[in-house]
Amino acid sequence: MAVTAEGGARSAKGRSSLMRSPQFSSFVILIILLVVFAVADGNFLSPLNISNMMAFLPELGIIALGMTLLLTAGEFDLSVGAVFALAPVVVMLLAQNAGVDIGLALLAGLLLCIAIGAINGVIVTKIGISSFLVTLSMLLIVRGAALYITQGFPLKSWDQPGFFVTLLAGSFNIGAFRFYTSLWWFIGLSLLAVYVLRYAKLGNWISAIGSNRNAAVARGVPADAVKIWLFILTSVLAGLAGMISAFRISAASPVAGTGYELEVIAMVVVGGTALTGGRGTILGTIVGALMLRAIRNGIVLVGVPGLAYNIFVGVIILAMLILHALLQKNAARS
């Protein structure tokens, strides 16, 4: 009987902890939003509308995964939206204007992303400048470079069928729903990110660095190296998402991704990752991504002007931050 009672107490404690978790509250808000939009417009849950939402969601979601890990370590990257645009622009210029093989052009684009992320990480960790200032400057540099080399005009994307087109922008049907291969990229990268953050030693290092960098270093954690690689990862994921988008819509625009940096950070924070570092949740980020995409899509369907989207996002972010803060204080008291 004692064992049974103890097991029941642990189970009840686990359920209580789950209900107080930021990702659970975000999930509840998501369900409420989905119900509200479904009741307001019967087309919201139609196969066509869901397919449209899921076409774009993985691209921002892929960037959000990298941002989650970086924010957990106490840093963030404002240049991801510009990298989202520059990477496919460089790929298309190399492939179409310079005659470079598309595979090598894609590799060159990813190497450029690695360089951008490494520069961000080295300046932040070795020189000690705030990641806000460093990545804000990089945003201007990268966006300016994309505009300069294209003279501000979008490029026609690679339209020849082949392995890389199918890999990045192929599509498939499940019943009445149409999805793109980017969904598999998002699912696979999400599973990998969950493993890293929850079960791998690297995840413990990332959380420790975000919570207390000096204490983490004293315990032998290579904080600077971890942060540099996280900046590189975030930049590479932004570039990959940009390439996927360019192949999907058959265009590489130098102004693509404008404002994505703030939308991605919103997804991550709404999902329950702490903006100050030390606490991150990949599942929460997925919920946050779904929430913001549902809001963008739903408000248009119910007749709210699209220009009001930022108002809704701002209200949701502020409400979720307040809710997460209250839950954290309640958990601390408990």
Side-chain angles (χ1 to χ4, degrees):
M1 292 293 292
V3 173
T4 303
E6 183 179 347
R10 282 199 300 267
S11 178
K13 184 177 180 181
R15 287 194 298 270
S16 176
S17 177
L18 173 64
M19 294 180 67
R20 289 198 302 266
S21 65
Q23 56 266 39
F24 180 80
S25 59
S26 300
F27 180 73
V28 171
I29 298 296
L30 172 62
I31 296 300
I32 293 173
L33 286 172
L34 293 178
V35 171
V36 169
F37 287 134
V39 171
D41 191 297
N43 292 321
F44 180 74
L45 294 180
S46 68
L48 177 60
N49 192 56
I50 292 176
S51 297
N52 289 336
M53 282 196 293
M54 295 306 295
F56 185 67
L57 170 68
E59 294 160 13
L60 276 178
I62 287 171
I63 308 175
L65 296 176
M67 191 71 77
T68 301
L69 298 176
L70 192 58
L71 272 173
T72 305
E75 306 290 351
F76 55 88
D77 188 347
L78 295 178
S79 67
V80 291
V83 173
F84 180 94
L86 180 63
V89 161
V90 169
V91 170
M92 296 311 155
L93 284 175
L94 290 175
Q96 296 179 356
N97 294 14
V100 177
D101 177 77
I102 185 63
L104 293 177
L106 287 168
L107 178 60
L110 291 177
L111 289 174
L112 175 62
C113 295
I114 291 174
I116 294 171
I119 292 171
N120 284 336
V122 168
I123 294 176
V124 169
T125 58
K126 302 303 181 183
I127 300 181
I129 303 176
S130 163
S131 59
F132 173 84
L133 297 175
V134 172
T135 59
L136 177 61
S137 301
M138 187 60 73
L139 181 157
L140 299 174
I141 294 169
V142 172
R143 183 69 71 187
L147 289 168
Y148 178 75
I149 62 179
T150 61
Q151 295 300 300
F153 294 100
L155 303 175
K156 190 175 185 301
S157 185
W158 190 263
D159 57 359
Q160 300 180 22
F163 171 75
F164 291 107
V165 174
T166 302
L167 181 67
L168 295 176
S171 62
F172 60 95
N173 293 323
I174 299 179
F177 299 92
R178 186 187 184 193
F179 302 108
Y180 289 87
T181 51
S182 56
L183 180 61
W184 295 120
W185 281 96
F186 182 44
I187 292 172
L189 290 169
S190 296
L191 292 174
L192 181 60
V194 168
Y195 171 77
V196 168
L197 197 55
R198 294 193 61 180
Y199 303 107
K201 180 187 291 186
L202 176 59
N204 292 330
W205 286 357
I206 293 171
S207 298
I209 293 168
S211 297
N212 190 324
R213 182 186 180 279
N214 292 333
V217 171
R219 295 174 59 186
V221 175
D224 288 354
V226 170
K227 284 189 176 184
I228 290 172
W229 280 108
L230 289 177
F231 274 107
I232 291 174
L233 175 65
T234 304
S235 185
V236 167
L237 291 180
L240 173 63
M243 295 174 193
I244 290 173
S245 177
F247 277 104
R248 181 176 63 83
I249 66 175
S250 298
S253 172
V255 296
T258 300
Y260 280 10
E261 55 280 346
L262 298 181
E263 190 162 351
V264 165
I265 291 174
M267 290 176 176
V268 175
V269 173
V270 163
T273 295
L275 193 60
T276 53
R279 187 187 75 238
T281 164
I282 299 298
L283 295 178
T285 293
I286 296 171
V287 171
L290 288 168
M291 186 185 302
L292 265 68
R293 293 311 306 165
I295 294 172
R296 180 182 287 276
N297 181 272
I299 63 172
V300 173
L301 284 181
V302 299
V304 178
L307 295 177
Y309 169 72
N310 288 336
I311 299 174
F312 280 79
V313 173
V315 170
I316 290 292
I317 292 173
L318 186 59
M320 294 305 298
L321 288 174
I322 293 172
L323 179 59
H324 292 165
L326 293 174
L327 288 172
Q328 194 170 1
K329 287 182 178 180
N330 185 52
R333 285 197 298 268
S334 300

